[in-house]
Amino acid sequence: MLKDFGDLKLAKKSDKKLEEILLEGGVINAQQAAAAVAEAESTGKRVGEALIEQGACKDTEVAKALAVQNGLEFLDLSKSDSLARVDRSLLKPEIQVKYTVVPMRKERGTLLVCVHDPSDIETLDMLGMMSGTRVAPGGVASRNQVMTYLQGAQEGPDLSKPQNKLFSDSLDQSRDKSKDQSRDRSADRSADRSADRSVDKDGAGESQMVNLVDRMIDQAVIGRASDIHIEPRKNDVLIRYRIDGVCLERDTLPKKMQAQLLARIKLMAGVNIAERRIPQDGRIKKIIEEKVIDFRVSTCPAVHGESVVLRVLRPDSARIGLKGLGFEQDNLDAFNRIIRRPNGIFLVTGPTGSGKTTTLYSALNDLNTPDRKIITAEDPVEYAFKGINQVQVREHIGLTFAAVLRSMLRQAPNIILVGEIRDREVADIAIQAALTGHMVFSTLHTNDAPSAITRLVDMGVKPFLVASSIQAVMGQRLARILCPKCKAPDPSPDRKMLRLVGISDEEAMSGTIMRAVGCAECSGTGYRGRRAIFELMTMNSEIRDLAFNRASVSKIRAAAVRGGMRSLVGDGKIKILRGVTTPTEIANFAQIEGYDPSEAAGA
């Protein structure tokens, strides 16, 4: 547990840095402090956040150190003595939830609030404007405790189970349990006819549907969801969030609310709310927790109504830095050398949702300097970068990847990013660009890195062009990482799983095999966040000869391993032995032959 930091008083601010306070308190050691500072400098994170993610200390310990640093009270909102120091009647509940603060007391005309980040002056100013009084920090608590307290429970929401009370405030007046199903269907039809005019009519900002959709989106972002799935069924509408790559049921809504719900989202996304027969795509921009979050909206007609998916595009996810992606040091060094070459093609392969775009964006972010001209062709443009010329592909008007690529070559770029090589035409132009002095980055949908060579040849690209233009191919997957707060050593790991990921009994004894436990921090799942596992195949003379002679994937893979490539499983094995993830996760996402997901369901 956190010590009391000696005789330090909370009467005035400390000139010491956060890591220095934690060091003096005996919470972390010098190595952990240095690692956190380095990560904060490379990724833009706070030092405290980096320490928590590394498992060096708990969020409550960081909060106490922040209290010492800023001369404020420390509140443990799970204990009655701290709860006695807050007064929720001083601010409207919705304001407290929106800005993640808890009011404490008023002193000399100033409202003192408990915050998780005392340096967030912007939030305090906003609170002052909304409350009509001066607002200042009076105490510090961990963000998780503040959110849990405001939600009215000490254990936090368990996102691994359906949460039918998520929208209860918005739904209480809408649900009518006395109505039978036939009346529900009648209401649905009438709502369907009037949805367009009822959702955005007079006072729409105060309507229940507007509040419901806002809450649904806010909760998804706060809960680290990457997607929101709205799926109409025969008798209700299912809401699911995808968190760390896994879809979790969040709520079900009455069928009669379907039309208004879909119309509201389509209205926000700027698409035709009257069109229900064909798929549509749109975008939503929303401010959540003082950050502008973009959502890519996709609608698709289904049997029981339009299915809608909102993809959450966080502005900082593409700027986490190359170290934050999950590279081991040897792969990171090789990756940095390859992306800085003057010409050639660098391909990233993997299935949809494996983080290919994030990897390439992180590379571009590192390469984005005033002396380089970078142009991208994307479908769609997900994240905007200052200093990079990004082009949105529009197939319906003839602005295809091939057309954009041809135009790019006349713009004299140093680096070109092609969102995806889909056909021979795009592949040929990309190869010509690489051979004429440009560095080309792109993605390809193949299961592993060696398969990219045969895939390009199968597309119709001449083998000698493939052999001469490609510099390297990297395959990747995303695996969930264990929650640093609750993970625990596994006293008896599944030996079959260990064998599948290539871990011997001796390695298991010398390493640290951890297991998922589950806590409020990770919403009971045992996992928090994801990291990539990689296999980086650098082209050498042997692999080029094999590509030129149309060799099989197995031969190319064998040559790549001889050349130093570590497989996806091998990269995952390192992370397992370091206690970052579990054998089950690597076996699942590395697509190991002989792995049966049903056998690991209970693991």
Side-chain angles (χ1 to χ4, degrees):
M1 293 297 292
L2 186 66
K3 298 181 181 179
D4 293 328
F5 303 110
D7 296 323
L8 286 171
K9 305 294 184 183
L10 302 184
K12 62 178 183 179
K13 291 186 177 182
S14 170
D15 294 329
K16 297 180 179 178
K17 296 179 180 179
L18 181 73
E19 61 271 20
E20 293 173 348
I21 296 172
L22 289 166
L23 269 169
E24 286 187 10
V27 181
I28 61 174
N29 56 42
Q31 186 178 1
Q32 291 170 327
V37 170
E39 183 177 350
E41 289 174 353
S42 63
T43 64
K45 295 177 182 176
R46 302 284 177 91
V47 172
E49 185 182 355
L51 285 167
I52 294 168
E53 288 186 1
Q54 291 172 4
C57 60
K58 299 178 181 178
D59 56 353
T60 51
E61 293 171 329
V62 170
K64 193 166 186 179
L66 283 170
V68 171
Q69 188 183 40
N70 290 274
L72 302 170
E73 295 180 61
F74 167 72
L75 272 67
D76 184 344
L77 296 177
S78 66
K79 294 183 179 178
S80 56
D81 58 335
S82 290
L83 294 176
R85 286 184 274 169
V86 304
D87 183 357
R88 292 200 63 186
S89 65
L90 296 174
L91 266 180
K92 291 182 179 179
E94 58 268 25
I95 294 178
Q96 297 175 43
V97 172
K98 182 175 181 179
Y99 294 100
T100 322
V101 299
V102 180
M104 296 174 64
R105 62 187 181 276
K106 276 196 172 184
E107 281 187 7
R108 299 174 185 176
T110 299
L111 174 62
L112 299 180
V113 294
C114 176
V115 297
H116 61 87
D117 182 6
S119 64
D120 189 355
I121 305 301
E122 215 172 305
T123 294
L124 296 173
D125 289 344
M126 190 69 69
L127 280 169
M129 290 174 60
M130 298 187 73
S131 61
T133 184
R134 185 174 179 270
V135 178
V140 181
S142 73
R143 176 183 173 78
N144 185 56
Q145 280 200 348
V146 173
M147 291 177 63
T148 299
Y149 173 66
L150 292 175
Q151 289 167 352
Q154 294 305 318
E155 295 180 355
D158 185 354
L159 296 180
S160 64
K161 299 175 183 177
Q163 299 291 317
N164 292 325
K165 293 185 178 180
L166 173 64
F167 308 124
S168 57
D169 293 343
S170 299
L171 299 180
D172 281 346
Q173 298 177 16
S174 301
R175 299 185 192 271
D176 187 351
K177 296 179 181 178
S178 64
K179 292 186 178 182
D180 60 21
Q181 209 164 18
S182 63
R183 294 186 65 185
D184 279 351
R185 285 194 292 269
S186 174
D188 181 39
R189 287 193 296 271
S190 65
D192 187 58
R193 289 191 298 269
S194 61
D196 297 350
R197 60 179 180 273
S198 64
V199 171
D200 204 45
K201 209 175 177 181
D202 297 338
E206 301 297 323
S207 72
Q208 294 170 7
M209 185 55 62
V210 171
N211 292 336
L212 186 150
V213 172
D214 283 346
R215 183 179 297 187
M216 175 180 70
I217 293 174
D218 290 355
Q219 288 284 353
V221 173
I222 293 169
R224 301 183 300 107
S226 60
D227 304 273
I228 306 170
H229 297 261
I230 301 167
E231 301 166 348
R233 301 189 294 193
K234 184 177 181 181
N235 299 317
D236 56 21
V237 180
L238 177 65
I239 308 294
R240 297 198 293 171
Y241 292 169
R242 187 183 296 277
I243 299 175
D244 294 336
V246 178
C247 272
L248 304 170
E249 287 191 17
R250 197 67 177 94
D251 204 355
T252 54
L253 305 182
K255 186 70 174 176
K256 63 184 179 182
M257 299 182 69
Q258 174 179 318
Q260 285 186 319
L261 173 66
L262 298 183
R264 173 61 190 168
I265 291 173
K266 290 164 76 173
L267 188 69
M268 293 172 70
V271 301
N272 186 354
I273 62 176
E275 180 57 75
R276 301 179 180 88
R277 301 164 299 169
I278 59 175
Q280 297 187 85
D281 294 304
R283 292 183 86 106
I284 295 173
K285 194 181 291 288
K286 197 173 189 292
I287 298 176
I288 300 174
E289 295 189 320
E290 306 303 314
K291 292 183 179 179
V292 178
I293 308 293
D294 276 336
F295 300 84
R296 197 173 77 213
V297 183
S298 172
T299 72
C300 182
V303 174
H304 299 296
E306 289 175 287
S307 172
V308 179
V309 176
L310 284 75
R311 178 81 182 272
V312 184
L313 305 175
R314 290 176 171 81
D316 53 351
S317 64
R319 296 176 175 86
I320 61 175
L322 293 174
K323 286 187 178 179
L325 294 174
F327 279 107
E328 300 302 323
Q329 192 59 50
D330 56 345
N331 273 345
L332 179 60
D333 293 341
F335 182 84
N336 274 316
R337 286 195 300 270
I338 293 162
I339 64 175
R340 285 168 173 78
R341 291 180 181 177
N343 64 283
I345 295 180
F346 179 74
L347 294 174
V348 181
T349 72
T352 301
S354 59
K356 301 185 298 295
T357 303
T358 300
T359 297
L360 290 179
Y361 275 151
S362 298
L364 289 188
N365 203 38
D366 262 25
L367 298 171
N368 187 16
T369 55
D371 60 319
R372 292 189 179 101
K373 182 178 178 67
I374 304 174
I375 305 180
T376 73
E378 305 170 62
D379 184 20
V381 174
E382 294 191 352
Y383 303 99
F385 283 84
K386 186 178 180 180
I388 295 180
N389 301 275
Q390 296 173 267
V391 181
Q392 168 73 58
V393 170
R394 291 184 174 85
E395 300 272 355
H396 62 285
I397 61 169
L399 190 62
T400 62
F401 274 115
V404 173
L405 264 173
R406 289 192 187 94
S407 176
M408 279 182 178
L409 297 179
R410 295 191 289 272
Q411 297 277 315
N414 300 104
I415 298 170
I416 294 171
L417 176 122
V418 185
E420 181 186 347
I421 293 179
R422 297 177 178 176
D423 52 41
R424 178 182 173 179
E425 185 181 16
V426 174
D428 281 338
I429 301 171
I431 287 172
Q432 289 303 318
L435 295 175
T436 53
H438 305 85
M439 189 64 194
V440 180
F441 296 104
S442 191
T443 67
L444 200 62
H445 286 286
T446 61
N447 284 331
D448 56 16
S451 298
I453 304 296
T454 55
R455 176 67 185 278
L456 289 172
V457 173
D458 289 343
M459 279 184 183
V461 180
K462 292 180 174 59
F464 77 90
L465 291 176
V466 174
S468 58
S469 62
I470 292 180
Q471 296 287 348
V473 184
M474 187 169 74
Q476 71 176 70
R477 299 288 190 281
L478 288 177
R480 293 185 296 173
I481 60 173
L482 289 162
C483 173
K485 187 173 182 180
C486 66
K487 67 180 181 180
D490 192 343
S492 55
D494 188 328
R495 299 185 71 178
K496 181 180 179 181
M497 284 295 164
L498 293 180
R499 285 197 302 273
L500 280 172
V501 296
I503 297 177
S504 65
D505 292 339
E506 292 77 17
E507 288 173 320
M509 295 273 293
S510 61
T512 309
I513 309 296
M514 307 294 280
R515 63 185 177 90
V517 178
C519 65
E521 189 74 19
C522 59
S523 304
T525 63
Y527 297 92
R528 185 175 176 84
R530 290 189 290 175
R531 292 289 183 277
I533 53 175
F534 302 98
E535 58 177 19
L536 181 56
M537 182 182 78
T538 304
M539 297 292 281
N540 55 33
S541 57
E542 183 183 4
I543 298 174
R544 293 187 195 280
D545 287 342
L546 290 171
F548 181 77
N549 292 305
R550 299 174 180 261
S552 64
V553 174
S554 59
K555 289 183 179 179
I556 295 174
R557 170 169 283 280
V561 172
R562 286 193 295 273
M565 183 186 82
R566 184 169 57 243
S567 68
L568 291 170
V569 179
D571 202 46
K573 175 181 170 181
I574 295 173
K575 292 175 172 60
I576 295 168
L577 293 174
R578 285 216 320 266
V580 175
T581 187
T582 62
T584 303
E585 276 296 297
I586 297 302
N588 187 22
F589 290 100
Q591 296 180 331
I592 298 173
E593 189 174 346
Y595 169 68
D596 184 358
S598 62
E599 292 181 9

